Amino acid sequence: AQSVTQPDIHITVSEGASLELRCNYSYGATPYLFWYVQSPGQGLQLLLKYFSGDTLVQGIKGFEAEFKRSQSSFNLRKPSVHWSDAAEYFCAVVNFMDTGRRALTFGSGTRLQVQP
Amino acid sequence: DAGVTQSPTHLIKTRGQQVTLRCSPKSGHDTVSWYQQALGQGPQFIFQYYEEEERQRGNFPDRFSGHQFPNYSSELNVNALLLGDSALYLCASSLMESGGYTFGSGTRLTVV
């Protein structure tokens, strides 16, 4: 079964500092990968997704992520964090090649706190 | 262009009662999935509907059931509510043959 691991439960960074959130997945084939952000009490907003092609993916709000097949990772990065980036971040995977398995599998999330 | 709409936004029910949550998908989407997100956890897949049929189901008991209507909107029903059913219920719509899931803001269900 596919799984997603986000090893960092909570990260605190200073405003203006760089950010990297880690995500590792376990799946036999090349998965489709997503990063979502969730503000308290809100739904999920898609930051970026990787389906194929260039392994460095650009998303909204200045975020990017790099797919590394050899490491089974899809880490999220931002060069300079803003106070408004404080939220919960979820990595997710789905395999569209398997018509019986098109549900998103989420990691447990990383809570980002931004210090002024 | 309206995104995914869920109703109600908040709901309080008593243990043993039944509840129905509703979801209108994003315009042009034909598939609706439901997720349960307990406090402090990632969303867990409940089931997915396409062409008015349940196509996939996660590890949830039969107390959880659903329906999809011809206009692609969907309902999630939970019978015999337990305290542990308290969670944020998220609806996501998509096109079956492509990626890109759009989530609603969710329904916060509290069982007392």
Side-chain angles (χ1 to χ4, degrees):
Chain A
Q2 57 195 30
S3 65
V4 178
T5 302
Q6 293 182 247
D8 304 306
I9 297 174
H10 187 196
I11 284 182
T12 301
V13 300
S14 298
E15 189 169 15
S18 63
L19 171 70
E20 182 169 28
L21 302 182
R22 296 183 290 167
C23 172
N24 293 96
Y25 67 91
S26 173
Y27 197 73
T30 299
Y32 288 14
L33 295 155
F34 305 78
W35 274 100
Y36 285 89
V37 61
Q38 185 179 39
S39 297
Q42 299 298 311
L44 299 170
Q45 181 182 22
L46 179 66
L47 288 175
L48 46 79
K49 59 188 177 186
Y50 172 77
F51 286 179
S52 65
D54 192 346
T55 56
L56 185 62
V57 181
Q58 301 298 319
I60 63 172
K61 302 184 179 185
F63 286 93
E64 67 177 25
E66 186 172 13
F67 170 61
K68 293 185 177 180
R69 184 191 303 274
S70 62
Q71 299 178 19
S72 296
S73 69
F74 188 57
N75 294 348
L76 182 71
R77 300 193 295 248
K78 186 171 185 178
S80 178
V81 170
H82 188 263
W83 64 266
S84 60
D85 293 325
E88 188 90 19
Y89 291 79
F90 293 96
C91 181
V93 61
V94 67
N95 177 24
F96 281 101
M97 299 306 294
D98 182 347
T99 57
R101 299 171 65 86
R102 293 193 176 188
L104 284 164
T105 299
F106 285 88
S108 55
T110 297
R111 178 165 297 279
L112 174 65
Q113 186 174 358
V114 181
Q115 288 183 334
Chain B
D1 177 26
V4 177
T5 304
Q6 291 187 243
S7 63
T9 55
H10 295 82
L11 202 54
I12 299 175
K13 289 288 188 178
T14 303
R15 191 172 47 184
Q17 285 188 317
Q18 178 265 343
V19 68
T20 297
L21 310 182
R22 296 175 175 83
C23 174
S24 293
K26 181 178 179 178
S27 177
H29 283 183
D30 58 8
T31 302
V32 173
S33 304
W34 288 91
Y35 292 80
Q36 181 195 64
Q37 186 179 19
L39 198 61
Q41 298 182 21
Q44 299 293 315
F45 174 70
I46 303 175
F47 44 55
Q48 182 181 80
Y49 277 84
Y50 172 67
E51 293 185 334
E52 302 180 48
E53 291 187 8
E54 182 182 296
R55 299 289 177 158
Q56 282 193 80
R57 189 177 185 91
N59 188 26
F60 279 80
D62 292 344
R63 298 186 297 108
F64 289 76
S65 64
H67 188 78
Q68 186 180 34
F69 299 94
N71 66 353
Y72 306 117
S73 66
S74 176
E75 290 182 348
L76 163 66
N77 301 290
V78 187
N79 295 321
L81 284 166
L82 304 174
L83 296 180
D85 295 331
S86 296
L88 180 68
Y89 289 84
L90 295 165
C91 171
S93 72
S94 60
L95 281 171
M96 174 54 76
E97 297 306 321
S98 67
Y101 297 85
T102 301
F103 281 82
S105 297
T107 294
R108 172 70 64 186
L109 173 65
T110 302
V111 183
V112 297

